[in-house]
Amino acid sequence: MEFEFVSDNVALDFAGTRMYRESAPLERLSAPGDLAQWIAASALLDVVPKIDAASFDSALQLREAIYQCGVACARGAELPEADRRVVNQFAAVPPVKTRLLEVAHRVREGDLDNVLATVARSAIEAVGGEEHARLRECGGTDCTRLFVDRSRGGNRRWCGMDICGTRAKSAAYRQRHKGSLAP
């Protein structure tokens, strides 16, 4: 399975593993093995740990709390208290341990709890840090991804151009040329 990392924040990319939440939800993390694949794709660890069902359920709880806090931030609303507590609880664990071995060689070590702590801390930075005002919801039709808008003008509208941006621009083009394309 391929995962997209388009949010400019690993926590928001993690939240984006459940897509199209309001229309036809698409679950990218259906089993512990999917989470292991996401961890490998995210490059948070060099060796992906074994994930049991309870740990998997716990990770999904964090993912949903991150999403709810991110949406609240993007909309200028108050953070849901229960979700804020979940994020803080996961962030209290030590993050992934990174060590420098030599030039162009480092090691990233830890277990699932360390990965989730790293992700939770990333969420805290996105929602509670200096860039909180740049947290956005994708403007794509039915897309529910969140992203950090690091564009110079602060006017990024889509989580990514490959899917949502292209769809929106194609739809706008078709709408503009609707009458002129008829035979």
Side-chain angles (χ1 to χ4, degrees):
M1 177 177 300
E2 287 190 38
F3 294 99
E4 295 90 17
F5 294 87
V6 296
S7 299
D8 288 326
N9 177 284
V10 72
L12 302 180
D13 286 322
F14 185 55
T17 59
R18 181 169 171 89
M19 303 169 65
Y20 313 113
R21 292 166 179 264
E22 296 168 9
S23 57
L26 173 62
E27 180 60 70
R28 307 290 303 275
L29 300 179
S30 298
D34 297 334
L35 178 57
Q37 288 179 12
W38 184 85
I39 292 169
S42 73
L44 289 171
L45 288 176
D46 293 333
V47 177
V48 177
K50 190 147 180 74
I51 301 167
D52 62 29
S55 297
F56 175 70
D57 291 342
S58 184
L60 294 184
Q61 179 186 17
L62 173 61
R63 180 189 67 182
E64 296 310 306
I66 290 169
Y67 181 76
Q68 294 303 323
C69 288
V71 167
C73 178
R75 295 178 181 174
E78 196 170 311
L79 298 179
E81 179 64 28
D83 295 315
R84 187 178 58 79
R85 273 197 309 269
V86 168
V87 171
N88 286 333
Q89 177 186 354
F90 278 91
V93 173
V96 169
K97 181 178 166 184
T98 304
R99 292 184 298 123
L100 178 65
L101 299 180
E102 58 187 68
V103 172
H105 193 87
R106 46 92 182 97
V107 175
R108 297 162 298 191
E109 303 170 312
D111 59 17
L112 180 61
D113 290 339
N114 303 126
V115 169
L116 297 179
T118 300
V119 170
R121 289 167 184 229
S122 181
I124 289 170
E125 288 305 312
V127 173
E130 294 175 8
E131 292 187 321
H132 75 278
R134 291 184 169 267
L135 202 147
R136 307 270 192 272
E137 293 179 88
C138 181
T141 304
D142 296 328
C143 186
T144 56
R145 277 187 171 273
L146 299 165
F147 64 90
V148 177
D149 179 3
R150 291 201 174 100
S151 66
R152 186 181 316 198
N155 56 2
R156 181 173 156 194
R157 296 177 48 198
W158 304 290
C159 61
M161 279 304 297
D162 288 346
I163 297 174
C164 292
T166 299
R167 282 184 190 161
K169 289 184 177 225
S170 295
Y173 177 85
R174 285 191 303 276
Q175 185 64 33
R176 282 192 314 271
H177 295 86
K178 195 175 192 175
S180 64
L181 295 178

